[in-house]
C-alpha cells in the first residue's frame, strides 16, 4: 500500500504515469465517472484550506465516491487530546483513503505509520505539500511540453512556503532546470533545501533579493505568499508581507512566454492587473489540481488492491 507524503514517494517514471493519468482524466472525464463508486475519502484538516480540501472532495465526487471529515481541529476530538495516531486508526475504519493537513511537520508521516488506508499529505507545517507540487508540474508540463531545460524563479517566502520545498524536491530530478531563489535574506530557503537538495546534487541555482534584476531571465515565475501563520512576530510579518508585488508594469520586463504560477491563496504579491495577462496561469493550476487529485486517489487505491 502506497502513501503520498513527499513528491519523492513517486519515482520520475511513476510521476510521469500519474501526470498522464491526470491529463487523461482532464480530457476524458466521463471515462472516470464511476471509478470510485462506493469509495470514501476522509479529509482531516487541522489547518484552514479552501483549494486542497475542496478539490480532494470534488475529485472523489467526480469519480462516484463520497467524502467525510473535518475542516478544523476544533470540531474534532483533537480538542479532547486525541492524538493523530489514534485518530487515523479510527478513521481507517470509516474511509478508504485519507488526506490530512496538519500544522506540525511530520504529522502525516505519523498518520501513515498507524494507518491501514493510504495517507496523502495535504500540507504539513512549513514542510511539504506534494499534491500541490503535482498540480504545479502538470501545469508546467502543459505550458512548456516538458519538465526539462528551463529556468524557474521562486519568489517570496521561501523559508516557510512548503509548496516551494516540495517543488524543488520534484524538479531537481529533471534535466537542466535552473532555480533562481528570490527572497529577502530573512525568508531564504532552509539550509536543508539549499545544502542537501541543491548543493549536494550539483543543481544550478542562485539566490537574489530583487525580482526586477532577474525577471527577464525566467521561463516560469512561481510567486508565493508570505506565510503569516508561521511567523513568531507580527511586526516581522508586517515588515515582510509586501516585499514583492508583481504588477503589470513589472511583468513588462519578462519574456512573452514567461508564465506566472502561484499556489494560492494570494495576498498582495500579485496585483489584480496581472490576472488578465495571458501569461498568468494560477487559476489553471487550480483547475489542474482536481485532475491531479483524482489521479492520486486512483493510484493510491490501486496500490491497496495490488497488496
Ligand atoms: N494551495 C493551497 O494549498 O491552498 P489551500 O490552503 O486553500 O488549500
Amino acid at each position: 500500500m502506497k502513501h503520498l507524503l513527499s513528491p519523492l514517494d513517486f519515482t520520475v517514471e511513476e510521476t510521469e504515469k500519474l501526470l498522464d493519468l491526470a491529463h487523461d482524466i482532464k480530457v476524458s472525464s466521463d471515462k472516470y465517472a464511476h471509478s470510485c463508486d462506493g469509495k470514501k475519502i476522509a479529509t482531516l484538516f487541522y489547518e484552514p484550506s479552501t483549494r486542497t480540501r475542496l478539490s480532494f472532495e470534488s475529485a472523489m465526487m467526480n469519480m462516484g465516491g463520497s467524502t467525510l471529515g473535518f475542516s478544523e481541529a476544533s470540531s474534532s476530538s483533537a480538542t479532547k487530546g486525541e492524538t493523530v495516531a489514534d485518530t487515523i486508526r479510527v478513521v481507517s475504519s470509516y474511509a478508504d483513503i485519507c488526506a490530512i493537513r496538519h500544522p506540525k511537520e511530520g504529522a502525516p508521516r505519523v498518520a501513515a505509520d498507524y494507518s491501514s488506508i493510504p495517507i496523502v499529505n495535504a500540507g504539513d507545517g512549513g514542510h511539504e505539500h506534494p499534491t500541490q507540487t503535482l498540480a504545479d508540474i502538470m501545469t508546467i508540463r502543459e505550458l512548456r511540453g516538458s519538465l526539462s531545460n528551463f529556468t524557474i524563479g521562486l519568489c517570496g517566502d521561501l523559508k516557510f512556503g512548503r509548496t516551494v520545498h516540495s517543488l524543488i524536491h520534484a524538479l531537481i530530478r529533471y534535466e537542466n532546470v535552473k532555480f533562481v531563489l528570490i527572497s529577502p535574506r530573512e525568508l531564504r530557503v532552509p539550509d536543508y533545501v539549499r545544502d542537501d537538495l541543491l548543493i549536494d546534487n550539483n543543481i544550478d541555482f542562485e539566490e537574489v533579493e530583487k525580482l526586477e534584476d532577474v525577471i527577464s531571465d525566467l521561463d516560469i515565475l512561481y510567486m508565493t505568499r508570505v506565510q503569516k501563520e508561521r511567523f513568531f512576530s507580527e511586526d516581522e510579518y508586517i515588515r515582510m508581507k509586501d516585499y514583492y508585488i508583481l504588477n503589470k508594469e513589472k511583468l513588462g520586463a519578462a519574456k512573452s512566454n514567461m508564465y506566472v504560477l502561484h499556489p494560492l491563496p494570494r495576498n498582495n504579491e500579485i496585483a489584480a492587473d496581472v490576472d488578465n495577462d495571458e501569461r498568468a496561469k494560477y487559476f489553471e493550476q487550480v483547475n489542474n489540481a482536481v485532475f491531479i487529485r483524482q489521479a492520486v486517489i486512483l493510484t493510491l487505491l490501486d496500490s491497496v488492491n495490488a497488496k
Side-chain angles (χ1 to χ4, degrees), residues 45 48-53 101 129 132 162-163 263-265:
F45 276 60
S49 166
T50 296
R51 274 148 294 275
T52 311
R53 187 173 64 84
R101 171 171 288 189
H129 192 351
Q132 178 65 50
R162 58 194 173 200
T163 63
L264 304 179

Side-chain angles (χ1 to χ4, degrees), residues 283-307:
F283 291 110
E284 190 54 33
Q285 276 169 280
V286 170
N287 190 43
N288 282 339
V290 179
F291 308 119
I292 277 292
R293 290 182 174 121
Q294 285 185 239
V296 166
I297 290 169
L298 286 176
T299 303
L300 296 186
L301 288 178
D302 270 358
S303 78
V304 177
N305 297 333
K307 262 202 301 188

